[in-house]
């Protein structure tokens, strides 16, 4: 059973960088052909795919967030991370790390989600 767990600060000040880590257990992030994604849900809105890193370490980003987003991984810890720069209150959301089975949005395992609030 694959499990994903998000971790990071719950409160970030405007203009700062949001950093979250997803720790994966029960499966390796280098296993063919999985993609490891970050998805968020602002209050009262739908899910928004932010980006992903695949089994080979290649990264993919939402065009609307690409200029502010970076996803990386630490294979020794079986973790992948999200960095979102220059945050504003509009980045307040529940952030999820998710496994995608084929890079086509077929998500089979989700973390429980972590609330991040951007406020001074």
């Amino acid at each position: 059973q694959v499990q994903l767990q998000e971790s990071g600060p719950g409160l970030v000040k405007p203009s700062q960088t949001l950093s979250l880590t997803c720790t994966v257990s029960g499966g390796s992030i280098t296993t063919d052909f999985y993609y490891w994604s970050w998805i968020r849900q602002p209050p009262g809105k739908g899910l928004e795919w932010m980006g992903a890193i695949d089994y080979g370490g290649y990264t993919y980003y939402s065009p609307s967030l690409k200029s502010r987003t970076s996803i990386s991984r630490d294979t020794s810890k079986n973790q992948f991370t999200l960095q979102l720069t220059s945050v504003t209150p509009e980045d307040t959301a529940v952030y999820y790390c998710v496994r995608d089975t084929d890079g086509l949005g077929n998500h089979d395992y989700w973390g429980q989600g972590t609330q991040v609030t951007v406020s001074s």
Side-chain angles (χ1 to χ4, degrees):
Q1 179 81 358
V2 175
Q3 293 184 315
L4 298 90
Q5 178 67 58
E6 305 90 351
S7 60
L11 180 64
V12 183
K13 293 186 183 325
S15 81
Q16 292 188 341
T17 296
L18 180 161
S19 295
L20 296 174
T21 296
C22 182
T23 301
V24 179
S25 59
S28 172
I29 63 172
T30 62
T31 299
D32 298 345
F33 297 97
Y34 293 115
Y35 293 67
W36 304 89
S37 300
W38 287 98
I39 293 174
R40 68 181 182 179
Q41 186 169 28
K45 298 185 179 180
L47 296 170
E48 179 183 21
W49 179 81
M50 302 180 68
I53 187 165
D54 73 13
Y55 51 97
Y58 292 97
T59 53
Y60 312 83
Y61 299 108
S62 166
S64 64
L65 295 171
K66 185 175 183 178
S67 64
R68 299 196 292 131
T69 307
S70 177
I71 298 174
S72 59
R73 68 179 186 173
D74 184 336
T75 57
S76 68
K77 296 180 179 179
N78 215 36
Q79 295 175 333
F80 63 105
T81 63
L82 169 73
Q83 290 196 317
L84 183 66
T85 62
S86 304
V87 297
T88 72
E90 286 66 41
D91 293 309
T92 294
V94 178
Y95 286 75
Y96 298 94
C97 56
V98 186
R99 191 177 80 167
D100 183 326
T101 61
D102 55 10
L104 299 177
N106 292 307
H107 303 122
D108 60 351
Y109 289 102
W110 292 67
Q112 65 181 22
T114 187
Q115 172 71 46
V116 178
T117 300
V118 179
S119 175
S120 55

